[in-house]
Amino acid sequence: MPSLNKKLNKIDKLYQTLHDKQPKLGKAASFLTGSGVITANSLGVGLPIWSLGAAKVLTGSALADKGLIKITKYWINSNNAVINHALPHKDWRISLPDDLSENKQYLLVSNHQSWVDTSIVQYISQNRLPLTRFFTKFDLIYIPVVGQAFYFLDFPMMKRFSPKAIAKNPELRKQNLIAAERACRQLKDKPFALLNYLEGTRFTPEKKAEQQSPYQHLLKPRAGGLSLAINALGEQIDAILDITIVYPDGIPDYDDLWKGNIRRLGVEVTRLQMPDELFNAIMNGGYDRDETTKKMMFEWLEDIWHQKDERMTRMLSEFDET
C-alpha cells in the first residue's frame, strides 16, 4: 500500500507540474487521460454488460444483476480515479451527511446546470451511496454500451413527446409513466440512489427568463418524477437527499471537467423532510388524482427550492471570500 501511495503521489505531481509550467500541455494530458480511460472502459466492459444484461432480462437472475452493478461501479470508480489524480489544483468543497450508506435506498434531487452534474454526483457517491440511477431520455439507449447499461441497470428511461403529440394521443404520456414506474419497482429489493433533476432541463438564463422563474439560480421545479418514484417505492425509501451544486467560475462544458478547467466546485447534500401527510398521500396515488395533494406537493417543493436558491447564493459568496 505505501508503494502504491508513492506511485499515486508521483502521478499527482506530474500532472500538477504540467499544469503549472505548460498549462496547454497539462490540459491536453488530463483530457487524453480521461478520454483514454473512458474509452478503454467502454470497450472493456461492453461484452460483459451485454452478456450479463441479456441473462438478467431473459432469466431475471439476481446474480447477473449484481455482476452488472459491480462492473458499473468499477467503471465509475476508474473515472473518479482520473478526477483524483489527473486534475490538479481543485478547490472542491463537498459536504455530505456522515451517516450515508451504500446499503440503503435513497431518492436524490438536484439542480441541473451542466452535463458535468451527473459525473459530480457519481464522484461524491463513491463509497457513500449505492449506485446512482437517474431519469433519462429513452433515445440514449442507442449510445453503444452506455445506453444499454442504462437499460439493463433499470434506469427509468422516458421518451420525449411534444405537447402537441400528447394532446393528440394522451396514451403517449401514460406509456411513459408505466415504463418509469416499472423501472422504479425493479429497484425495490436492492440498494439504490435514484436521481431526479427536478427542473427537467439544464439551467440557462434564457430558460429562466422564458419561464419567468422566481429563483435567482434555478428553474421552476417539476413534481411528476419525484411523485412517481415515491408512489412506486413507498416506505422502502430511507431518505430523500437534496444535492446542491455550484460552479463559481461559470457553468462548464463536459470537456472542461477532463481538461482540469473546473478548479472551484461546491456541493452540499442535505436531508429533506417531507411531511408524513404528503408522503403518504403521494404513496397512495394521491398526486395523480387529488388536486389537494398536488397543491401540497408544489408548495413543499417551492419552499425547498427557495431554500436551495439561498444556499447557492451563500455557497458562491463563500468562494468569493477566500
Side-chain angles (χ1 to χ4, degrees):
M1 195 69 172
S3 61
L4 175 61
N5 288 334
K6 285 183 180 180
K7 289 179 181 178
L8 292 175
N9 286 335
K10 287 181 179 179
I11 292 171
D12 294 345
K13 289 179 180 178
L14 172 62
Y15 283 100
Q16 183 172 320
T17 300
L18 283 173
H19 277 260
D20 287 343
K21 296 186 175 180
Q22 297 287 337
K24 289 184 179 180
L25 181 59
K27 290 180 181 182
S30 294
F31 181 77
L32 288 172
T33 302
S35 57
V37 168
I38 292 170
T39 301
N41 279 335
S42 299
L43 294 172
V45 305
L47 183 58
I49 282 179
W50 287 326
S51 301
L52 290 170
K56 175 184 172 180
V57 171
L58 293 173
T59 68
S61 168
L63 190 62
D65 188 49
K66 288 180 180 178
L68 280 168
I69 292 171
K70 188 173 182 178
I71 290 171
T72 305
K73 283 188 173 181
Y74 161 79
W75 192 355
I76 292 170
N77 292 349
S78 298
N79 295 344
N80 290 347
V82 174
I83 292 174
N84 283 333
H85 300 292
L87 309 180
H89 301 304
K90 296 189 301 294
D91 181 6
W92 286 18
R93 306 178 189 183
I94 298 170
S95 172
L96 299 98
D98 294 329
D99 58 348
L100 300 180
S101 169
E102 293 185 270
N103 298 312
K104 292 190 176 181
Q105 297 176 317
Y106 299 104
L107 296 183
L108 313 180
V109 300
S110 176
N111 59 307
H112 192 21
Q113 302 170 84
S114 166
W115 290 113
V116 175
D117 296 341
T118 301
S119 293
I120 296 303
V121 172
Q122 291 171 336
Y123 179 76
I124 68 169
S125 298
Q126 184 173 343
N127 301 326
R128 297 183 181 98
L129 292 172
L131 178 67
T132 300
R133 297 158 171 95
F134 48 88
F135 287 81
T136 187
K137 295 183 291 187
F138 185 84
D139 292 349
L140 295 182
I141 200 171
Y142 301 111
I143 298 176
V145 184
V146 175
Q148 294 82 59
F150 286 168
Y151 177 76
F152 292 138
L153 288 163
D154 304 317
F155 281 54
M157 304 185 79
M158 314 287 282
K159 292 183 178 179
R160 289 284 179 91
F161 300 113
S162 68
K164 186 177 180 180
I166 293 175
K168 188 175 181 179
N169 182 7
E171 284 296 312
L172 295 177
R173 182 176 182 276
K174 188 176 180 181
Q175 290 172 17
N176 252 349
L177 294 176
I178 291 172
E181 186 177 46
R182 186 189 306 119
C184 287
R185 292 192 187 282
Q186 287 174 337
L187 300 176
K188 269 198 166 185
D189 298 322
K190 67 188 78 171
F192 66 81
L194 181 58
L195 172 64
N196 193 332
Y197 292 117
L198 295 188
E199 294 159 292
T201 185
R202 284 168 291 154
F203 174 93
T204 66
E206 294 76 18
K207 292 175 185 175
K208 177 180 180 295
E210 183 180 345
Q211 276 193 358
Q212 296 183 331
S213 170
Y215 311 104
Q216 182 179 354
H217 307 289
L218 299 162
L219 302 178
K220 295 177 181 178
R222 300 178 181 181
L226 180 59
S227 298
L228 184 151
I230 292 171
N231 177 247
L233 297 165
E235 293 178 348
Q236 289 189 264
I237 299 166
D238 290 298
I240 304 175
L241 304 177
D242 181 18
I243 301 174
T244 302
I245 303 172
V246 297
Y247 302 101
D249 300 315
I251 297 173
D253 293 325
Y254 191 64
D255 63 344
D256 285 320
L257 172 62
W258 303 109
K259 290 177 180 176
N261 288 339
I262 304 176
R263 296 291 181 91
R264 302 194 299 171
L265 168 76
V267 183
E268 286 195 10
V269 181
T270 57
R271 290 178 178 270
L272 294 181
Q273 297 297 326
M274 179 179 284
D276 290 342
E277 178 186 3
L278 175 58
F279 186 89
N280 291 331
I282 294 173
M283 189 176 66
N284 293 320
Y287 179 81
D288 290 323
R289 63 171 185 262
D290 178 35
E291 287 301 318
T292 300
T293 299
K294 186 171 289 189
K295 183 174 181 292
M296 286 174 60
M297 181 61 165
F298 276 105
E299 288 176 349
W300 180 74
L301 278 181
E302 286 173 358
D303 182 53
I304 295 299
W305 235 234
H306 279 295
Q307 293 179 44
K308 180 186 282 287
D309 204 38
E310 293 173 359
R311 186 178 304 119
M312 292 177 74
T313 297
R314 189 253 307 157
M315 291 168 68
L316 290 167
S317 69
E318 288 175 352
F319 277 97
D320 292 336
E321 291 169 1
T322 56

